[in-house]
Amino acid sequence: MMGGGGVGGGLLENANPLIYERSGERPVTAGEEDEQVPDSIDAREIFDLIRSINDPEHPLTLEELNVVEQVRVQVSDPESTVAVAFTPTIPHCSMATLIGLSIKVKLLRSLPQRFKMDVHITPGTHASEHAVNKQLADKERVAAALENTHLLEVVNQCLSARS
Amino acid sequence: MAAAATVETAALTGALWGLVQDFVMGQQEGPADQVAADVKSGSYTVLQVVEALGSSLENPEPRTRARGIQLLSQVLLQCHSLLLEKEVVHLILFYENRLKDHHLVIPSVLQGLRALSLCVALPSGLAVSVLKAIFQEVHVQSLPQVDRHTVYSIITNFMQTREEELKGLGADFTFGFIQVMDGEKDPRNLLVAFRIVHDLISRDYSLGPFVEELFEVTSCYFPIDFTPPPNDPHGIQREDLILSLRAVLASTPRFAEFLLPLLIEKVDSEILSAKLDSLQTLNACCAGYGQKELKDFLPSLWSSIRREVFQTASERVEAEGLAALHSLTACLSRSVLRADAEDLLDSFLSNILQDCRHHLCEPDMKLVWPSAKLLQAAAGASARAYDHITSNVLPLLLEQFHKHSQSNQRRTILEMILGFLKLQQKWSYEDKDQRPLSGFKDQLCSLVFMALTDPSTQLQLVGIRTLTVLGAQPDLLSSGDLELAVGHLYRLSFLEEDSQSCRVAALEASGTLATLYPVAFSSYLVPKLAEELHIGESDLTRGDGPTKCSRHLCCMQALSAVSTHPSIVKETLPLLLQHLWQVNKGNMVAQSSEVIAVCQSLQQVAEKCQQDLESCWYFHQTAIPCLLALAVQASMPEKEPSVLRKVLLEDDVLAAMVSVIGTATTHLSPELAAQSVACIVPLFLDGNVSFLPENSFPSRFQPFQDGPSGQRRLVALLMAFVCSLPRNVEIPQLNQLMRELLELSCCQSCPFSSTAAAKCFAGLLNKHPAGQQLDEFLQLAGDKMEAGLGSGPYRSQAFTLLLWVTKALVLRYHPLSSCLTARLMGLLSDPELGPAAADGFSLLMSDCTDVLTRAGHAEVRIMFRQRFFTDNVPTLVQGFHAAPQDVKPNYLKGLSHVLNRLPKPVLLPELPTLLSLLLEALSCPDSVVQLSTLSCLQPLLLEAPQVMSLHVDTLVTKFLNLSSSPSMAVRIAALQCMHALTRLPTPVLLPYKPQVIRALAKPLDDKKRLVRKEAVSARGEWFLLGSPGS
């Protein structure tokens, strides 16, 4: 269902993309070091989870390509909801589904089960926005995609720490 | 007599015959060594061995002949040094002849020739003859590996000893060798063969018309693709082969026309290792090549390197690409040209500029940095290349800076400019006007000043770094520029909380530039800081306390930061000390934090003075009497106790003064230190205050008598001084001093004073030369401790003394240390002192900051931790097993402290014996033990996964349990261990994967963010285990 080809070798779709600065490590506050104070899950924490995901094409992170931004993360810890909007670098980017899938898998692996998560394309930034959103929202299709060895391999590469 | 000799000879010959028979016909191996030993001992000659062999050597059955020759060869291998020239000639003839024999015989023949090739008595001409015979008669590549190796050894041996002779063979030798190695497949043999080819080339053997053949026969292995088999006993690594082949390929420019196309082809391939190897080989080649070799290939080389740097996903490929470009440019710059030849450097650089220039104008795009790096790699290769590139690029970048208005774009551009400026430092220019930067100076300065006033911290930071680099260029900046620069640095030194990084960078830059331009900083910066510091001192009424304080703090930090030049120290130190007096005079609200801040600044100044003897003495002589006078003043009894003055006696204020005094003392020369010690010791022992400034005190200073308790606290300052002195400085009244210290260490005073006295005593003990006096001091200390430890009010003081004395002796390997350590271990089961004794092990193993330091000239043997470990851990382990349940945690804690401080390479071999104890320690309820054990296990998981994987079951269970510990630090450490577990071999872990992933879902919802962060990374790694793409 999801096209994951075109990785490695061959010409890049967008060889010289705009790149953005990486935000630094989140500074540790006194409150975070205090045993008693609970720290709620906030937008920055979610953003930290996904900003270092590797782009399937470039040796760059989603943050450096501005595919994900902290302002496009909505989170409510008490209501256990997360919504992440991501912006493909070009409107015809064939990697959009794969990027969305990587974000989704990263959140599934990193957030408590109580969270309901929604990963979608920033409105108006991709030619087949609705089709992609529909695929990402469909639990069964996501699960089926991860059964596909080739797709899982690409997703894992996106999620591996950079060597 | 004669008859007896004959009988004996006959008996010997008979024995030899027997041995030969046993070897040849009886197929036993032992006799060969026996025969060799007998020949060596002179019982019979080689000739007799040959005679005894006689018929076997001519036997029609090839197996028997082989066996016979084998025996002879083995004897020769051990006895070749005994051979006479005549014997060698005959043996060579025999062996050469045998090369024509049956193939079963050949291995033994080659062994014999190898033995003969080692022979010193080999007459000239025979080496060539042997080699010719081998080249002619033996088809080397159809022999087994061992025998091929023998052939290479024969050649190597001859090349080492008969070089001239072999060269006489001309290109025939090269050709012969090419045929020998053609088709070689074994890595062991290849290493030797590559070595031979390298020697052929580097020792200038004639290659004749066979250059291309020689290249073909070696380059066919490029790039090396070899993975050593698991458990390979030969230990040959892929890297060994790569390096030795590279040495061959890069060894001569004559290979260039064949090699360069090959390298280009392999860089263009899809295989990462091939790319890396090719780029590295190209890099190596450039050392020996010139323009002539590179000429035809430059366009292709450039386009391959450019593509790799622009598009690669691997940082290593990028780095190697840049390094290769650097070497290529260096090579082109170096070549000597004929007058009429075209200089390829210019056209090559123009090519690079043409391909990269336009990307520099797009500071947001991905290719901007790769382009800048390529240009910088080329520019860094030579002064000529630098001039060519910067004269093109700098004007462009300066223009681009003004064209782009966003801070982040400007930052990228300035950062590229900075990169080019830094490269300039590699070359010195004789003539000022020749320096390529002179023409751009004004533009660069105005650019930097724009950056320094920009609201973006990131741009400011790059601006500060650029300013430092510009300042480092001799004679570049004018005094007007410097005044402006100092003004900016002054402003940046007072930046608010949220731009700390910028303030720190500005301070650092001030320090660097102040060493180069002391006058500018003395005249423009120091007076401004002095003024700023005075504002608060005189004005008590102003209500803006906190801001004033933070401005003071910035001021003092700036003062210490610029104290990098002796002339500046003479201005800044009085300012800081004066400020301290003002605080003490009570003109302002004195807080301990303010005093500590002054001390920290003083400490930094002291550190900067250490390298310069004169400054060091100036600082010592000025600051130390002043600090002591202030402290003595504060310790005087008063009718109305003033809160202000007591600030100076607080623990952390004294600690800050201790580190100033220590730092100001360690680097003194022994003569000057002796001057100082003659004043300071009498001050404490006799109350002699004459050397202190403003010394009219209301009463006597008697810290060791029953004076006010405040005075006793100042023993810490005495400790800071005497424990930092060089070892050869004699301390006056030492005997009395030691007794007083011992007395104070065990009296009922505040713990601060008694601990200071114990540390001071220990510090002096550590440095005291062995001998009667030392033994006396130890005796006194021993008595004092035993008396105190027995029972009564001084137990804890006596324990502290024991701890410090033990440490002093452990550090210097004193024989008594084992005794004291045993005493300490005994206290682990003491109901009262047990926990303190356990923590004491941490003190024994760690480095102190104030006493017993290497910087303070203490005697610290480098291996003391290892030694302490070896001597004491078995006892600790035993003690643990024998101890009653309620004190077991003390032993575990002590052990954890020892293990934690031990260098990991030392710990690894001990692991199997200790691991079970560590695993037990994980179940210990004490969170300190848990934490310490986890932090001990974590690196072991990374470094010794094989050993640890035997315990995977326990580890998984215990780590998961601890990941829900009430202590946050333990939860974090446990999750880090869960992460480290993923380094174990995947097959061991896979059975646990589902369970672990389920269990790690819980800490994902931990209330602490720092715990969640570790849980996320651990769980992420577990997901990747055994999954495709990881």
Side-chain angles (χ1 to χ4, degrees):
Chain A
M1 63 149 228
M2 305 199 186
V7 183
L11 282 176
L12 303 179
E13 273 183 4
N14 185 3
N16 191 10
L18 272 172
I19 53 170
Y20 295 79
E21 199 184 330
R22 269 180 284 178
S23 36
E25 281 286 298
R26 179 178 193 161
V28 176
T29 63
E32 283 171 3
E33 282 175 340
D34 183 340
E35 300 255 5
Q36 305 311 319
V37 186
D39 317 314
S40 65
I41 296 179
D42 57 13
R44 172 67 201 249
E45 187 168 341
I46 304 292
F47 181 61
D48 277 339
L49 292 175
I50 56 177
R51 70 189 177 94
S52 54
I53 296 176
N54 301 319
D55 182 81
E57 270 199 333
H58 294 282
L60 294 168
T61 64
L62 296 188
E63 178 183 28
E64 286 168 313
L65 292 168
N66 215 36
V67 171
V68 295
E69 293 165 274
Q70 194 176 332
V71 290
R72 301 198 189 282
V73 173
Q74 315 292 328
V75 60
S76 162
D77 195 353
E79 292 167 27
S80 301
T81 56
V82 173
V84 173
F86 67 98
T87 318
T89 51
I90 46 173
H92 292 279
C93 180
S94 64
M95 299 288 156
T97 325
L98 191 57
I99 293 173
L101 185 64
S102 300
I103 297 175
K104 184 117 192 176
V105 171
K106 177 74 188 182
L107 294 179
L108 282 169
R109 290 179 183 178
S110 311
L111 284 177
Q113 276 179 333
R114 62 187 164 93
F115 274 87
K116 181 172 161 20
M117 49 200 78
D118 168 30
V119 176
H120 58 271
I121 291 182
T122 313
T125 61
H126 197 267
S128 35
E129 183 186 323
H130 291 293
V132 175
N133 286 346
K134 208 173 152 192
Q135 292 193 18
L136 288 173
D138 188 333
K139 269 187 195 167
E140 280 169 25
R141 295 180 80 169
V142 170
L146 294 179
E147 299 288 313
N148 175 333
T149 322
H150 175 64
L151 219 44
L152 183 60
E153 179 179 340
V154 183
V155 167
N156 279 339
Q157 271 161 4
C158 293
L159 300 186
S160 295
R162 230 190 262 172
S163 50
Chain B
M1 278 300 280
T6 317
V7 170
E8 200 177 310
T9 316
L12 268 176
T13 320
L16 177 58
W17 266 89
L19 287 168
V20 167
Q21 280 303 314
D22 287 347
F23 185 90
V24 177
M25 308 310 287
Q27 300 291 324
Q28 297 171 23
E29 300 303 324
D33 284 334
Q34 180 61 48
V35 174
D38 291 346
V39 172
K40 261 196 264 182
S41 69
S43 305
Y44 27 78
T45 62
V46 174
L47 183 62
Q48 282 170 316
V49 177
V50 176
E51 281 167 355
L53 278 166
S55 64
S56 347
L57 296 180
E58 286 160 6
N59 194 297
E61 171 57 39
R63 280 176 212 284
T64 314
R65 283 205 307 281
R67 206 57 197 163
I69 295 176
Q70 188 186 351
L71 177 64
L72 181 59
S73 297
Q74 287 192 11
V75 170
L76 290 179
L77 273 173
Q78 297 192 38
C79 310
H80 55 79
S81 56
L82 301 174
L83 292 175
L84 303 173
E85 190 175 309
K86 200 175 61 183
E87 292 172 321
V88 175
V89 174
H90 283 295
L91 285 165
I92 293 264
L93 272 177
F94 167 72
Y95 273 108
E96 275 180 10
N97 195 267
R98 286 299 98 196
L99 283 171
K100 299 188 179 97
D101 202 337
H102 194 274
H103 71 91
L104 282 175
V105 181
I106 298 297
S108 306
V109 175
L110 289 172
Q111 283 299 338
L113 285 171
R114 183 164 78 86
L116 292 167
S117 73
L118 291 164
C119 225
V120 191
L122 188 78
S124 70
L126 286 188
V128 168
S129 139
V130 168
L131 287 179
K132 272 188 174 162
I134 292 176
F135 291 159
Q136 204 168 10
E137 305 295 346
V138 187
H139 184 248
V140 177
Q141 288 305 322
S142 51
L143 298 174
Q145 183 268 330
V146 186
D147 302 318
R148 300 202 304 274
H149 196 273
T150 311
V151 175
Y152 296 122
S153 302
I154 295 170
I155 297 175
T156 310
N157 292 341
F158 283 146
M159 282 176 81
Q160 274 165 5
T161 53
R162 317 271 156 180
E163 182 170 333
E164 286 314 311
E165 211 176 303
L166 299 195
K167 280 184 178 167
L169 264 176
D172 286 352
F173 177 51
T174 308
F175 182 67
F177 180 72
I178 291 173
Q179 285 186 317
V180 166
M181 85 165 281
D182 191 5
E184 180 58 65
K185 288 206 177 55
D186 191 275
R188 289 163 285 178
N189 290 352
L190 278 175
L191 274 182
V192 190
F194 289 156
R195 183 78 231 163
I196 293 173
V197 181
H198 184 260
D199 288 348
L200 278 178
I201 295 168
S202 64
R203 300 214 192 138
D204 217 18
Y205 283 77
S206 164
L207 306 187
F210 303 116
V211 175
E212 189 170 359
E213 278 78 5
L214 190 61
F215 174 77
E216 288 298 333
V217 86
T218 46
S219 67
C220 60
Y221 301 101
F222 183 86
I224 294 282
D225 181 23
F226 163 69
T227 321
N231 310 322
D232 176 24
H234 312 296
I236 292 181
Q237 296 299 311
R238 179 190 159 91
E239 199 62 16
D240 303 332
L241 284 166
I242 289 181
L243 290 178
S244 60
L245 176 57
R246 184 174 302 152
V248 168
L249 295 178
S251 61
T252 171
R254 280 186 282 178
F255 282 166
E257 56 176 316
F258 316 114
L259 178 59
L260 289 172
L262 177 68
L263 293 180
I264 293 169
E265 182 195 319
K266 297 299 175 191
V267 173
D268 296 355
S269 78
E270 289 288 320
I271 303 155
L272 185 75
S273 60
K275 284 179 193 290
L276 285 171
D277 198 357
S278 308
L279 289 166
Q280 286 165 342
T281 306
L282 175 60
N283 197 338
C285 288
C286 286
Y289 285 10
Q291 296 210 353
K292 184 170 69 99
E293 285 78 23
L294 293 172
K295 187 165 188 279
D296 294 337
F297 303 100
L298 282 175
S300 317
L301 285 170
W302 162 240
S303 79
S304 294
I305 292 175
R306 183 192 58 202
R307 187 199 54 236
E308 289 313 309
V309 175
F310 275 1
Q311 293 204 354
T312 186
S314 152
E315 282 180 20
R316 284 176 62 208
V317 173
E318 184 194 84
E320 292 303 338
L322 294 172
L325 180 61
H326 180 94
S327 311
L328 273 177
T329 317
C331 178
L332 293 175
S333 311
R334 198 173 49 223
S335 299
V336 182
L337 294 179
R338 287 207 324 274
D340 55 339
E342 174 203 10
D343 187 358
L344 294 172
L345 179 66
D346 282 333
S347 56
F348 184 62
L349 293 177
S350 301
N351 248 334
I352 300 179
L353 277 163
Q354 195 194 341
D355 289 345
C356 293
R357 244 180 92 97
H358 58 281
H359 290 304
L360 300 185
C361 307
E362 303 166 329
D364 289 329
M365 307 293 259
K366 183 192 162 199
L367 291 184
V368 65
W369 272 114
S371 302
K373 285 179 188 167
L374 284 166
L375 286 166
Q376 286 167 359
S382 70
R384 264 199 308 149
Y386 183 77
D387 291 353
H388 186 121
I389 289 180
T390 43
S391 64
N392 262 282
V393 167
L394 270 187
L396 175 74
L397 289 174
L398 288 167
E399 177 196 301
Q400 289 298 316
F401 187 90
H402 295 289
K403 262 194 189 161
H404 291 88
S405 54
Q406 287 178 28
S407 297
N408 60 347
Q409 297 170 330
R410 288 188 154 187
R411 179 188 136 203
T412 305
I413 296 168
L414 186 56
E415 213 158 339
M416 289 192 276
I417 295 179
L418 176 63
F420 285 104
L421 295 184
K422 278 186 181 161
L423 291 174
Q424 152 102 64
Q425 296 168 334
K426 292 169 87 173
W427 298 285
S428 56
Y429 290 84
E430 295 287 306
D431 185 0
K432 190 176 170 185
D433 296 328
Q434 266 188 0
R435 287 186 202 130
L437 290 186
S438 314
F440 301 113
K441 192 265 285 177
D442 289 330
Q443 278 177 287
L444 285 168
C445 281
S446 79
L447 208 95
V448 166
F449 295 144
M450 276 171 84
L452 293 180
T453 45
D454 195 272
S456 151
T457 312
Q458 297 301 325
L459 182 52
Q460 285 181 19
L461 277 172
V462 186
I464 293 170
R465 279 159 54 208
T466 314
L467 178 63
T468 318
V469 172
L470 283 179
Q473 308 283 334
D475 303 320
L476 185 67
L477 300 183
S478 69
S479 80
D481 300 328
L482 282 169
E483 187 175 350
L484 275 172
V486 170
H488 281 292
L489 290 172
Y490 175 77
R491 180 179 51 80
L492 295 169
S493 305
F494 288 93
L495 284 177
E496 299 297 321
E497 280 284 312
D498 51 348
S499 31
Q500 281 307 302
S501 55
C502 227
R503 202 172 69 81
V504 172
L507 291 178
E508 200 178 313
S510 304
T512 315
L513 292 174
T515 52
L516 302 167
Y517 307 100
V519 181
F521 280 83
S522 290
S523 32
Y524 306 132
L525 186 70
V526 178
K528 275 172 141 178
L529 291 171
E531 199 182 321
E532 183 70 39
L533 203 56
H534 284 309
I535 290 175
E537 284 172 1
S538 52
D539 191 359
L540 245 182
T541 54
R542 273 168 52 172
D544 49 358
T547 19
K548 190 188 71 193
C549 258
S550 76
R551 279 194 81 83
H552 269 172
L553 194 65
C554 293
C555 236
M556 291 187 286
Q557 286 174 349
L559 281 173
S560 60
V562 295
S563 303
T564 46
H565 192 276
S567 72
I568 301 180
V569 175
K570 295 218 159 102
E571 298 179 37
T572 53
L573 180 58
L575 280 172
L576 288 167
L577 291 174
Q578 201 185 356
H579 186 61
L580 201 57
W581 275 108
Q582 295 296 336
V583 174
N584 193 48
K585 284 215 172 108
N587 285 351
M588 47 193 298
V589 185
Q591 288 169 329
S592 56
S593 63
E594 175 107 19
V595 183
I596 291 173
V598 183
C599 287
Q600 281 167 346
S601 292
L602 284 172
Q603 148 99 16
Q604 277 162 19
V605 178
E607 273 166 21
K608 296 195 171 97
C609 290
Q610 281 182 336
Q611 295 318 318
D612 180 63
L613 274 184
E614 203 184 322
S615 297
C616 186
W617 178 235
Y618 170 75
F619 186 97
H620 185 84
Q621 210 185 7
T622 317
I624 288 186
C626 178
L627 290 174
L628 288 172
L630 280 167
V632 170
Q633 176 79 53
S635 73
M636 287 296 153
E638 278 175 274
K639 292 189 186 96
E640 308 167 50
S642 140
V643 185
L644 299 177
R645 296 199 175 169
K646 295 302 169 215
V647 162
L648 279 175
L649 299 178
E650 287 175 12
D651 288 3
D652 38 2
V653 174
L654 281 173
M657 287 166 83
V658 162
S659 62
V660 179
I661 295 177
T663 314
T665 307
T666 51
H667 282 62
L668 285 185
S669 70
E671 300 77 48
L672 295 174
Q675 276 185 44
S676 194
V677 81
C679 299
I680 292 175
V681 171
L683 168 69
F684 280 84
L685 285 181
D686 313 326
N688 181 351
V689 295
S690 57
F691 80 105
L692 299 180
E694 307 199 18
N695 56 6
S696 52
F697 302 114
S699 62
R700 280 179 63 79
F701 179 59
Q702 295 173 310
F704 288 114
Q705 313 302 317
D706 289 332
S709 67
Q711 295 197 347
R712 286 201 287 270
R713 299 171 68 82
L714 301 196
V715 171
L717 303 184
L718 174 68
M719 168 199 87
F721 174 72
V722 292
C723 293
S724 306
L725 289 169
R727 243 183 271 174
N728 52 358
V729 175
E730 198 175 327
I731 293 165
Q733 309 176 60
L734 181 64
N735 197 13
Q736 189 196 343
L737 179 63
M738 293 297 265
R739 284 164 197 272
E740 297 283 15
L741 286 169
L742 207 51
E743 204 54 45
L744 181 57
S745 72
C746 280
C747 84
Q748 198 171 24
S749 149
C750 65
F752 184 87
S753 328
S754 57
T755 306
K759 283 162 82 173
C760 189
F761 183 81
L764 291 171
L765 210 55
N766 172 272
K767 288 190 206 174
H768 201 283
Q772 196 194 347
Q773 198 177 21
L774 181 67
D775 295 341
E776 273 172 35
F777 291 147
L778 285 170
Q779 182 65 46
L780 283 174
D783 295 346
K784 196 84 191 163
M785 288 181 301
E786 283 313 321
L789 282 173
S791 63
Y794 310 131
R795 281 199 90 201
S796 88
Q797 279 94 333
F799 168 73
T800 307
L801 181 64
L802 167 69
L803 199 55
W804 283 100
V805 171
T806 311
K807 181 163 175 81
L809 297 188
V810 164
L811 291 181
R812 65 182 275 183
Y813 290 2
H814 190 280
L816 207 59
S817 63
S818 53
C819 232
L820 294 174
T821 314
R823 184 78 180 93
L824 195 62
M825 269 192 245
L827 290 174
L828 282 172
S829 47
D830 186 283
E832 191 179 67
L833 294 174
D839 284 331
F841 283 88
S842 157
L843 189 131
L844 288 185
M845 297 303 278
S846 59
D847 290 318
C848 299
T849 53
D850 45 4
V851 291
L852 296 171
T853 60
R854 277 207 187 90
H857 312 286
E859 188 170 354
V860 182
R861 309 288 285 264
I862 40 172
M863 307 286 273
F864 83 91
R865 290 191 182 85
Q866 284 89 318
R867 184 161 159 156
F868 189 85
F869 173 84
T870 330
D871 290 352
N872 297 301
V873 162
T875 329
L876 265 176
V877 173
Q878 240 171 13
F880 168 81
H881 290 300
Q885 203 59 38
D886 57 330
V887 293
K888 271 189 194 288
N890 293 342
Y891 284 88
L892 281 179
K893 205 166 177 180
L895 187 69
S896 312
H897 287 310
V898 178
L899 298 184
N900 230 357
R901 301 283 178 167
L902 205 67
K904 295 304 170 219
V906 182
L907 190 51
L908 284 181
E910 309 295 334
L911 189 65
T913 48
L914 287 174
L915 198 56
S916 63
L917 198 70
L918 283 173
L919 295 177
E920 196 161 344
L922 282 178
S923 318
C924 172
D926 184 323
S927 68
V928 174
V929 176
Q930 291 170 353
L931 195 57
S932 167
T933 312
L934 288 170
S935 58
C936 202
L937 287 172
Q938 200 247 7
L940 293 176
L941 286 167
L942 303 179
E943 285 162 37
Q946 298 295 342
V947 185
M948 300 299 271
S949 54
L950 302 175
H951 303 273
V952 61
D953 195 62
T954 325
L955 289 170
V956 167
T957 321
K958 299 239 163 130
F959 291 157
L960 286 177
N961 276 342
L962 289 175
S963 72
S964 53
S965 147
S967 152
M968 170 165 108
V970 173
R971 295 203 297 279
I972 291 176
L975 289 167
Q976 282 167 344
C977 284
M978 280 312 292
H979 190 165
L981 263 182
T982 57
R983 292 289 195 86
L984 266 45
T986 309
V988 177
L989 297 173
L990 280 180
Y992 298 91
K993 183 174 169 179
Q995 171 201 350
V996 169
I997 284 177
R998 242 178 293 120
L1000 286 180
K1002 188 168 158 266
L1004 289 180
D1005 212 1
D1006 197 279
K1007 70 174 175 179
K1008 299 305 297 175
R1009 178 170 299 125
L1010 296 173
V1011 180
R1012 296 198 291 267
K1013 198 176 143 206
E1014 298 302 336
V1016 165
S1017 61
R1019 194 165 190 252
E1021 283 304 309
W1022 274 88
F1023 262 108
L1024 293 178
L1025 280 178
S1027 190
S1030 55

